[in-house]
PDB file of all heavy atoms in Angstrom:
ATOM      1  N   SER A   1       0.831  -1.206   0.000  1.00  0.00           N
ATOM      2  CA  SER A   1       0.000   0.000   0.000  1.00  0.00           C
ATOM      3  C   SER A   1       0.863   1.252   0.000  1.00  0.00           C
ATOM      4  O   SER A   1       0.512   2.261  -0.598  1.00  0.00           O
ATOM      5  CB  SER A   1      -0.957   0.002   1.186  1.00  0.00           C
ATOM      6  OG  SER A   1      -0.257   0.136   2.394  1.00  0.00           O
ATOM      7  N   SER A   2       2.019   1.198   0.658  1.00  0.00           N
ATOM      8  CA  SER A   2       2.919   2.351   0.659  1.00  0.00           C
ATOM      9  C   SER A   2       3.492   2.596  -0.732  1.00  0.00           C
ATOM     10  O   SER A   2       3.608   3.727  -1.185  1.00  0.00           O
ATOM     11  CB  SER A   2       4.067   2.127   1.647  1.00  0.00           C
ATOM     12  OG  SER A   2       3.579   2.029   2.950  1.00  0.00           O
ATOM     13  N   ILE A   3       3.841   1.529  -1.399  1.00  0.00           N
ATOM     14  CA  ILE A   3       4.406   1.658  -2.749  1.00  0.00           C
ATOM     15  C   ILE A   3       3.362   2.200  -3.719  1.00  0.00           C
ATOM     16  O   ILE A   3       3.648   3.069  -4.538  1.00  0.00           O
ATOM     17  CB  ILE A   3       4.940   0.291  -3.245  1.00  0.00           C
ATOM     18  CG1 ILE A   3       6.172  -0.109  -2.424  1.00  0.00           C
ATOM     19  CG2 ILE A   3       5.272   0.341  -4.727  1.00  0.00           C
ATOM     20  CD1 ILE A   3       6.623  -1.533  -2.654  1.00  0.00           C
ATOM     21  N   LEU A   4       2.163   1.718  -3.623  1.00  0.00           N
ATOM     22  CA  LEU A   4       1.107   2.135  -4.542  1.00  0.00           C
ATOM     23  C   LEU A   4       0.428   3.435  -4.129  1.00  0.00           C
ATOM     24  O   LEU A   4      -0.389   3.965  -4.864  1.00  0.00           O
ATOM     25  CB  LEU A   4       0.051   1.031  -4.657  1.00  0.00           C
ATOM     26  CG  LEU A   4       0.536  -0.287  -5.255  1.00  0.00           C
ATOM     27  CD1 LEU A   4      -0.575  -1.319  -5.220  1.00  0.00           C
ATOM     28  CD2 LEU A   4       1.029  -0.073  -6.679  1.00  0.00           C
ATOM     29  N   GLY A   5       0.762   3.935  -2.971  1.00  0.00           N
ATOM     30  CA  GLY A   5       0.160   5.186  -2.514  1.00  0.00           C
ATOM     31  C   GLY A   5      -1.254   5.014  -2.012  1.00  0.00           C
ATOM     32  O   GLY A   5      -2.035   5.960  -2.003  1.00  0.00           O
ATOM     33  N   ILE A   6      -1.606   3.825  -1.638  1.00  0.00           N
ATOM     34  CA  ILE A   6      -2.947   3.557  -1.142  1.00  0.00           C
ATOM     35  C   ILE A   6      -2.976   3.823   0.354  1.00  0.00           C
ATOM     36  O   ILE A   6      -2.127   3.346   1.085  1.00  0.00           O
ATOM     37  CB  ILE A   6      -3.365   2.096  -1.411  1.00  0.00           C
ATOM     38  CG1 ILE A   6      -3.320   1.806  -2.906  1.00  0.00           C
ATOM     39  CG2 ILE A   6      -4.737   1.807  -0.827  1.00  0.00           C
ATOM     40  CD1 ILE A   6      -3.472   0.342  -3.236  1.00  0.00           C
ATOM     41  N   THR A   7      -3.913   4.592   0.762  1.00  0.00           N
ATOM     42  CA  THR A   7      -4.067   4.821   2.197  1.00  0.00           C
ATOM     43  C   THR A   7      -5.481   4.477   2.587  1.00  0.00           C
ATOM     44  O   THR A   7      -6.420   4.647   1.818  1.00  0.00           O
ATOM     45  CB  THR A   7      -3.784   6.298   2.570  1.00  0.00           C
ATOM     46  OG1 THR A   7      -4.673   7.118   1.840  1.00  0.00           O
ATOM     47  CG2 THR A   7      -2.353   6.669   2.280  1.00  0.00           C
ATOM     48  N   PHE A   8      -5.607   3.987   3.783  1.00  0.00           N
ATOM     49  CA  PHE A   8      -6.917   3.647   4.304  1.00  0.00           C
ATOM     50  C   PHE A   8      -7.244   4.668   5.381  1.00  0.00           C
ATOM     51  O   PHE A   8      -6.793   4.555   6.508  1.00  0.00           O
ATOM     52  CB  PHE A   8      -6.896   2.226   4.888  1.00  0.00           C
ATOM     53  CG  PHE A   8      -6.500   1.191   3.874  1.00  0.00           C
ATOM     54  CD1 PHE A   8      -5.218   0.681   3.846  1.00  0.00           C
ATOM     55  CD2 PHE A   8      -7.409   0.762   2.927  1.00  0.00           C
ATOM     56  CE1 PHE A   8      -4.855  -0.258   2.902  1.00  0.00           C
ATOM     57  CE2 PHE A   8      -7.055  -0.180   1.985  1.00  0.00           C
ATOM     58  CZ  PHE A   8      -5.770  -0.691   1.966  1.00  0.00           C
ATOM     59  N   ARG A   9      -7.993   5.675   4.997  1.00  0.00           N
ATOM     60  CA  ARG A   9      -8.321   6.738   5.941  1.00  0.00           C
ATOM     61  C   ARG A   9      -9.802   6.702   6.249  1.00  0.00           C
ATOM     62  O   ARG A   9     -10.624   6.558   5.358  1.00  0.00           O
ATOM     63  CB  ARG A   9      -7.974   8.103   5.355  1.00  0.00           C
ATOM     64  CG  ARG A   9      -6.499   8.361   5.245  1.00  0.00           C
ATOM     65  CD  ARG A   9      -6.256   9.765   4.810  1.00  0.00           C
ATOM     66  NE  ARG A   9      -6.619   9.879   3.396  1.00  0.00           N
ATOM     67  CZ  ARG A   9      -6.683  11.012   2.744  1.00  0.00           C
ATOM     68  NH1 ARG A   9      -6.426  12.130   3.336  1.00  0.00           N
ATOM     69  NH2 ARG A   9      -7.009  11.031   1.474  1.00  0.00           N
ATOM     70  N   ALA A  10     -10.076   6.892   7.497  1.00  0.00           N
ATOM     71  CA  ALA A  10     -11.474   7.041   7.890  1.00  0.00           C
ATOM     72  C   ALA A  10     -11.845   8.505   7.718  1.00  0.00           C
ATOM     73  O   ALA A  10     -11.082   9.396   8.064  1.00  0.00           O
ATOM     74  CB  ALA A  10     -11.665   6.623   9.334  1.00  0.00           C
ATOM     75  N   SER A  11     -12.983   8.739   7.165  1.00  0.00           N
ATOM     76  CA  SER A  11     -13.417  10.104   6.928  1.00  0.00           C
ATOM     77  C   SER A  11     -14.817  10.284   7.495  1.00  0.00           C
ATOM     78  O   SER A  11     -15.723   9.535   7.172  1.00  0.00           O
ATOM     79  CB  SER A  11     -13.430  10.385   5.422  1.00  0.00           C
ATOM     80  OG  SER A  11     -14.058  11.601   5.157  1.00  0.00           O
ATOM     81  N   ALA A  12     -14.945  11.263   8.330  1.00  0.00           N
ATOM     82  CA  ALA A  12     -16.265  11.562   8.896  1.00  0.00           C
ATOM     83  C   ALA A  12     -16.544  13.036   8.675  1.00  0.00           C
ATOM     84  O   ALA A  12     -15.806  13.890   9.135  1.00  0.00           O
ATOM     85  CB  ALA A  12     -16.295  11.230  10.373  1.00  0.00           C
ATOM     86  N   GLU A  13     -17.577  13.305   7.919  1.00  0.00           N
ATOM     87  CA  GLU A  13     -17.939  14.692   7.680  1.00  0.00           C
ATOM     88  C   GLU A  13     -18.682  15.227   8.893  1.00  0.00           C
ATOM     89  O   GLU A  13     -19.458  14.517   9.518  1.00  0.00           O
ATOM     90  CB  GLU A  13     -18.838  14.814   6.460  1.00  0.00           C
ATOM     91  CG  GLU A  13     -18.138  14.525   5.175  1.00  0.00           C
ATOM     92  CD  GLU A  13     -19.075  14.678   3.998  1.00  0.00           C
ATOM     93  OE1 GLU A  13     -20.298  14.646   4.192  1.00  0.00           O
ATOM     94  OE2 GLU A  13     -18.561  14.828   2.892  1.00  0.00           O
ATOM     95  N   GLN A  14     -18.439  16.473   9.170  1.00  0.00           N
ATOM     96  CA  GLN A  14     -19.144  17.107  10.268  1.00  0.00           C
ATOM     97  C   GLN A  14     -20.159  18.076   9.671  1.00  0.00           C
ATOM     98  O   GLN A  14     -19.876  19.245   9.472  1.00  0.00           O
ATOM     99  CB  GLN A  14     -18.170  17.822  11.193  1.00  0.00           C
ATOM    100  CG  GLN A  14     -18.818  18.271  12.465  1.00  0.00           C
ATOM    101  CD  GLN A  14     -17.803  18.835  13.440  1.00  0.00           C
ATOM    102  OE1 GLN A  14     -16.621  18.907  13.160  1.00  0.00           O
ATOM    103  NE2 GLN A  14     -18.291  19.249  14.578  1.00  0.00           N
ATOM    104  N   LEU A  15     -21.333  17.546   9.365  1.00  0.00           N
ATOM    105  CA  LEU A  15     -22.424  18.350   8.835  1.00  0.00           C
ATOM    106  C   LEU A  15     -23.317  18.761   9.992  1.00  0.00           C
ATOM    107  O   LEU A  15     -23.734  17.931  10.794  1.00  0.00           O
ATOM    108  CB  LEU A  15     -23.236  17.565   7.812  1.00  0.00           C
ATOM    109  CG  LEU A  15     -22.520  17.189   6.521  1.00  0.00           C
ATOM    110  CD1 LEU A  15     -23.393  16.287   5.676  1.00  0.00           C
ATOM    111  CD2 LEU A  15     -22.143  18.432   5.750  1.00  0.00           C
ATOM    112  N   VAL A  16     -23.613  20.042  10.070  1.00  0.00           N
ATOM    113  CA  VAL A  16     -24.435  20.573  11.149  1.00  0.00           C
ATOM    114  C   VAL A  16     -25.702  21.165  10.546  1.00  0.00           C
ATOM    115  O   VAL A  16     -25.640  21.919   9.570  1.00  0.00           O
ATOM    116  CB  VAL A  16     -23.659  21.661  11.925  1.00  0.00           C
ATOM    117  CG1 VAL A  16     -24.549  22.347  12.935  1.00  0.00           C
ATOM    118  CG2 VAL A  16     -22.444  21.073  12.592  1.00  0.00           C
ATOM    119  N   THR A  17     -26.832  20.812  11.122  1.00  0.00           N
ATOM    120  CA  THR A  17     -28.092  21.400  10.671  1.00  0.00           C
ATOM    121  C   THR A  17     -28.096  22.875  11.051  1.00  0.00           C
ATOM    122  O   THR A  17     -27.929  23.229  12.209  1.00  0.00           O
ATOM    123  CB  THR A  17     -29.295  20.677  11.312  1.00  0.00           C
ATOM    124  OG1 THR A  17     -29.298  19.330  10.870  1.00  0.00           O
ATOM    125  CG2 THR A  17     -30.596  21.348  10.915  1.00  0.00           C
ATOM    126  N   ALA A  18     -28.261  23.723  10.048  1.00  0.00           N
ATOM    127  CA  ALA A  18     -28.195  25.170  10.263  1.00  0.00           C
ATOM    128  C   ALA A  18     -29.566  25.821  10.223  1.00  0.00           C
ATOM    129  O   ALA A  18     -29.819  26.789  10.934  1.00  0.00           O
ATOM    130  CB  ALA A  18     -27.291  25.809   9.213  1.00  0.00           C
ATOM    131  N   ALA A  19     -30.441  25.309   9.388  1.00  0.00           N
ATOM    132  CA  ALA A  19     -31.765  25.921   9.238  1.00  0.00           C
ATOM    133  C   ALA A  19     -32.721  24.900   8.646  1.00  0.00           C
ATOM    134  O   ALA A  19     -32.317  23.999   7.918  1.00  0.00           O
ATOM    135  CB  ALA A  19     -31.688  27.151   8.341  1.00  0.00           C
ATOM    136  N   ILE A  20     -33.986  25.079   8.976  1.00  0.00           N
ATOM    137  CA  ILE A  20     -35.025  24.200   8.444  1.00  0.00           C
ATOM    138  C   ILE A  20     -36.109  25.071   7.813  1.00  0.00           C
ATOM    139  O   ILE A  20     -36.685  25.936   8.473  1.00  0.00           O
ATOM    140  CB  ILE A  20     -35.630  23.314   9.548  1.00  0.00           C
ATOM    141  CG1 ILE A  20     -34.541  22.431  10.171  1.00  0.00           C
ATOM    142  CG2 ILE A  20     -36.768  22.467   8.988  1.00  0.00           C
ATOM    143  CD1 ILE A  20     -34.998  21.644  11.377  1.00  0.00           C
ATOM    144  N   ASP A  21     -36.342  24.826   6.536  1.00  0.00           N
ATOM    145  CA  ASP A  21     -37.425  25.496   5.815  1.00  0.00           C
ATOM    146  C   ASP A  21     -38.649  24.592   5.937  1.00  0.00           C
ATOM    147  O   ASP A  21     -38.801  23.633   5.182  1.00  0.00           O
ATOM    148  CB  ASP A  21     -37.023  25.698   4.354  1.00  0.00           C
ATOM    149  CG  ASP A  21     -38.099  26.368   3.529  1.00  0.00           C
ATOM    150  OD1 ASP A  21     -39.236  26.530   4.014  1.00  0.00           O
ATOM    151  OD2 ASP A  21     -37.801  26.725   2.372  1.00  0.00           O
ATOM    152  N   THR A  22     -39.499  24.884   6.911  1.00  0.00           N
ATOM    153  CA  THR A  22     -40.642  24.009   7.187  1.00  0.00           C
ATOM    154  C   THR A  22     -41.676  24.040   6.063  1.00  0.00           C
ATOM    155  O   THR A  22     -42.359  23.049   5.836  1.00  0.00           O
ATOM    156  CB  THR A  22     -41.309  24.380   8.524  1.00  0.00           C
ATOM    157  OG1 THR A  22     -41.634  25.764   8.520  1.00  0.00           O
ATOM    158  CG2 THR A  22     -40.397  24.074   9.688  1.00  0.00           C
ATOM    159  N   ASP A  23     -41.772  25.165   5.350  1.00  0.00           N
ATOM    160  CA  ASP A  23     -42.740  25.253   4.253  1.00  0.00           C
ATOM    161  C   ASP A  23     -42.411  24.271   3.127  1.00  0.00           C
ATOM    162  O   ASP A  23     -43.296  23.664   2.541  1.00  0.00           O
ATOM    163  CB  ASP A  23     -42.800  26.675   3.693  1.00  0.00           C
ATOM    164  CG  ASP A  23     -43.356  27.669   4.697  1.00  0.00           C
ATOM    165  OD1 ASP A  23     -44.056  27.239   5.640  1.00  0.00           O
ATOM    166  OD2 ASP A  23     -43.083  28.874   4.547  1.00  0.00           O
ATOM    167  N   ASN A  24     -41.126  24.162   2.804  1.00  0.00           N
ATOM    168  CA  ASN A  24     -40.691  23.303   1.698  1.00  0.00           C
ATOM    169  C   ASN A  24     -40.036  22.015   2.172  1.00  0.00           C
ATOM    170  O   ASN A  24     -39.528  21.247   1.355  1.00  0.00           O
ATOM    171  CB  ASN A  24     -39.733  24.075   0.785  1.00  0.00           C
ATOM    172  CG  ASN A  24     -40.415  25.265   0.157  1.00  0.00           C
ATOM    173  OD1 ASN A  24     -41.481  25.135  -0.440  1.00  0.00           O
ATOM    174  ND2 ASN A  24     -39.821  26.434   0.303  1.00  0.00           N
ATOM    175  N   GLU A  25     -39.997  21.801   3.481  1.00  0.00           N
ATOM    176  CA  GLU A  25     -39.402  20.612   4.093  1.00  0.00           C
ATOM    177  C   GLU A  25     -37.955  20.408   3.649  1.00  0.00           C
ATOM    178  O   GLU A  25     -37.550  19.311   3.249  1.00  0.00           O
ATOM    179  CB  GLU A  25     -40.245  19.378   3.797  1.00  0.00           C
ATOM    180  CG  GLU A  25     -41.649  19.469   4.365  1.00  0.00           C
ATOM    181  CD  GLU A  25     -42.502  18.244   4.087  1.00  0.00           C
ATOM    182  OE1 GLU A  25     -42.027  17.303   3.426  1.00  0.00           O
ATOM    183  OE2 GLU A  25     -43.659  18.239   4.521  1.00  0.00           O
ATOM    184  N   ILE A  26     -37.172  21.480   3.731  1.00  0.00           N
ATOM    185  CA  ILE A  26     -35.759  21.440   3.367  1.00  0.00           C
ATOM    186  C   ILE A  26     -34.931  21.679   4.621  1.00  0.00           C
ATOM    187  O   ILE A  26     -35.177  22.623   5.360  1.00  0.00           O
ATOM    188  CB  ILE A  26     -35.418  22.502   2.304  1.00  0.00           C
ATOM    189  CG1 ILE A  26     -36.227  22.253   1.036  1.00  0.00           C
ATOM    190  CG2 ILE A  26     -33.930  22.512   2.012  1.00  0.00           C
ATOM    191  CD1 ILE A  26     -36.106  23.365   0.009  1.00  0.00           C
ATOM    192  N   ILE A  27     -33.938  20.818   4.839  1.00  0.00           N
ATOM    193  CA  ILE A  27     -33.019  20.964   5.966  1.00  0.00           C
ATOM    194  C   ILE A  27     -31.661  21.353   5.392  1.00  0.00           C
ATOM    195  O   ILE A  27     -31.041  20.585   4.653  1.00  0.00           O
ATOM    196  CB  ILE A  27     -32.923  19.660   6.775  1.00  0.00           C
ATOM    197  CG1 ILE A  27     -34.299  19.301   7.335  1.00  0.00           C
ATOM    198  CG2 ILE A  27     -31.883  19.789   7.886  1.00  0.00           C
ATOM    199  CD1 ILE A  27     -34.360  17.940   7.988  1.00  0.00           C
ATOM    200  N   TYR A  28     -31.197  22.555   5.731  1.00  0.00           N
ATOM    201  CA  TYR A  28     -29.910  23.056   5.262  1.00  0.00           C
ATOM    202  C   TYR A  28     -28.821  22.650   6.244  1.00  0.00           C
ATOM    203  O   TYR A  28     -28.986  22.784   7.454  1.00  0.00           O
ATOM    204  CB  TYR A  28     -29.937  24.576   5.132  1.00  0.00           C
ATOM    205  CG  TYR A  28     -30.844  25.057   4.030  1.00  0.00           C
ATOM    206  CD1 TYR A  28     -32.150  25.443   4.299  1.00  0.00           C
ATOM    207  CD2 TYR A  28     -30.400  25.121   2.717  1.00  0.00           C
ATOM    208  CE1 TYR A  28     -32.993  25.881   3.293  1.00  0.00           C
ATOM    209  CE2 TYR A  28     -31.234  25.561   1.704  1.00  0.00           C
ATOM    210  CZ  TYR A  28     -32.527  25.943   1.995  1.00  0.00           C
ATOM    211  OH  TYR A  28     -33.350  26.374   0.998  1.00  0.00           O
ATOM    212  N   GLN A  29     -27.701  22.162   5.695  1.00  0.00           N
ATOM    213  CA  GLN A  29     -26.587  21.726   6.522  1.00  0.00           C
ATOM    214  C   GLN A  29     -25.301  22.422   6.092  1.00  0.00           C
ATOM    215  O   GLN A  29     -25.040  22.597   4.909  1.00  0.00           O
ATOM    216  CB  GLN A  29     -26.394  20.213   6.415  1.00  0.00           C
ATOM    217  CG  GLN A  29     -27.582  19.427   6.936  1.00  0.00           C
ATOM    218  CD  GLN A  29     -27.400  17.943   6.774  1.00  0.00           C
ATOM    219  OE1 GLN A  29     -27.029  17.476   5.712  1.00  0.00           O
ATOM    220  NE2 GLN A  29     -27.665  17.215   7.841  1.00  0.00           N
ATOM    221  N   VAL A  30     -24.485  22.783   7.097  1.00  0.00           N
ATOM    222  CA  VAL A  30     -23.187  23.407   6.866  1.00  0.00           C
ATOM    223  C   VAL A  30     -22.111  22.370   7.135  1.00  0.00           C
ATOM    224  O   VAL A  30     -22.134  21.686   8.155  1.00  0.00           O
ATOM    225  CB  VAL A  30     -22.997  24.636   7.787  1.00  0.00           C
ATOM    226  CG1 VAL A  30     -21.588  25.162   7.709  1.00  0.00           C
ATOM    227  CG2 VAL A  30     -24.000  25.726   7.427  1.00  0.00           C
ATOM    228  N   ASP A  31     -21.168  22.257   6.207  1.00  0.00           N
ATOM    229  CA  ASP A  31     -20.028  21.347   6.372  1.00  0.00           C
ATOM    230  C   ASP A  31     -18.941  22.089   7.150  1.00  0.00           C
ATOM    231  O   ASP A  31     -18.325  23.018   6.638  1.00  0.00           O
ATOM    232  CB  ASP A  31     -19.508  20.924   4.998  1.00  0.00           C
ATOM    233  CG  ASP A  31     -18.331  19.972   5.081  1.00  0.00           C
ATOM    234  OD1 ASP A  31     -17.903  19.633   6.205  1.00  0.00           O
ATOM    235  OD2 ASP A  31     -17.834  19.574   4.021  1.00  0.00           O
ATOM    236  N   LEU A  32     -18.729  21.697   8.396  1.00  0.00           N
ATOM    237  CA  LEU A  32     -17.755  22.383   9.247  1.00  0.00           C
ATOM    238  C   LEU A  32     -16.324  21.935   8.983  1.00  0.00           C
ATOM    239  O   LEU A  32     -15.381  22.563   9.464  1.00  0.00           O
ATOM    240  CB  LEU A  32     -18.096  22.163  10.722  1.00  0.00           C
ATOM    241  CG  LEU A  32     -19.423  22.754  11.183  1.00  0.00           C
ATOM    242  CD1 LEU A  32     -19.620  22.500  12.670  1.00  0.00           C
ATOM    243  CD2 LEU A  32     -19.494  24.242  10.896  1.00  0.00           C
ATOM    244  N   ASP A  33     -16.136  20.868   8.219  1.00  0.00           N
ATOM    245  CA  ASP A  33     -14.786  20.381   7.931  1.00  0.00           C
ATOM    246  C   ASP A  33     -14.069  21.234   6.897  1.00  0.00           C
ATOM    247  O   ASP A  33     -12.843  21.254   6.861  1.00  0.00           O
ATOM    248  CB  ASP A  33     -14.837  18.937   7.423  1.00  0.00           C
ATOM    249  CG  ASP A  33     -15.283  17.961   8.484  1.00  0.00           C
ATOM    250  OD1 ASP A  33     -15.046  18.247   9.674  1.00  0.00           O
ATOM    251  OD2 ASP A  33     -15.874  16.934   8.138  1.00  0.00           O
ATOM    252  N   ASN A  34     -14.799  21.891   6.059  1.00  0.00           N
ATOM    253  CA  ASN A  34     -14.198  22.629   4.942  1.00  0.00           C
ATOM    254  C   ASN A  34     -14.544  24.106   5.000  1.00  0.00           C
ATOM    255  O   ASN A  34     -15.131  24.654   4.083  1.00  0.00           O
ATOM    256  CB  ASN A  34     -14.670  22.028   3.617  1.00  0.00           C
ATOM    257  CG  ASN A  34     -14.175  20.622   3.429  1.00  0.00           C
ATOM    258  OD1 ASN A  34     -12.981  20.377   3.501  1.00  0.00           O
ATOM    259  ND2 ASN A  34     -15.084  19.688   3.226  1.00  0.00           N
ATOM    260  N   ARG A  35     -14.172  24.749   6.087  1.00  0.00           N
ATOM    261  CA  ARG A  35     -14.416  26.187   6.234  1.00  0.00           C
ATOM    262  C   ARG A  35     -13.085  26.923   6.181  1.00  0.00           C
ATOM    263  O   ARG A  35     -12.080  26.423   6.648  1.00  0.00           O
ATOM    264  CB  ARG A  35     -15.063  26.482   7.594  1.00  0.00           C
ATOM    265  CG  ARG A  35     -16.453  25.946   7.746  1.00  0.00           C
ATOM    266  CD  ARG A  35     -16.966  26.105   9.181  1.00  0.00           C
ATOM    267  NE  ARG A  35     -16.916  27.475   9.647  1.00  0.00           N
ATOM    268  CZ  ARG A  35     -16.259  27.884  10.733  1.00  0.00           C
ATOM    269  NH1 ARG A  35     -15.593  27.048  11.463  1.00  0.00           N
ATOM    270  NH2 ARG A  35     -16.274  29.141  11.097  1.00  0.00           N
ATOM    271  N   SER A  36     -13.105  28.099   5.623  1.00  0.00           N
ATOM    272  CA  SER A  36     -11.929  28.966   5.683  1.00  0.00           C
ATOM    273  C   SER A  36     -12.409  30.400   5.855  1.00  0.00           C
ATOM    274  O   SER A  36     -13.495  30.753   5.428  1.00  0.00           O
ATOM    275  CB  SER A  36     -11.069  28.826   4.431  1.00  0.00           C
ATOM    276  OG  SER A  36     -11.794  29.225   3.289  1.00  0.00           O
TER     277      SER A  36
END
């Protein structure tokens, strides 16, 4: 795996519910892992 560049990484996104549009039943989520 080192020679081939293969890595086994666990990835967990941190999505946070930011707002809920109850009229249209839409739940908006912000990805906290990719902020700058």
Side-chain angles (χ1 to χ4, degrees):
S1 68
S2 296
I3 291 170
L4 296 176
I6 301 170
T7 58
F8 301 101
R9 290 186 287 171
S11 170
E13 291 181 341
Q14 191 173 1
L15 294 174
V16 173
T17 297
I20 300 173
D21 179 351
T22 54
D23 294 339
N24 298 308
E25 298 180 359
I26 299 172
I27 299 172
Y28 292 96
Q29 297 178 312
V30 171
D31 180 0
L32 296 182
D33 292 332
N34 295 305
R35 293 172 56 237
S36 62

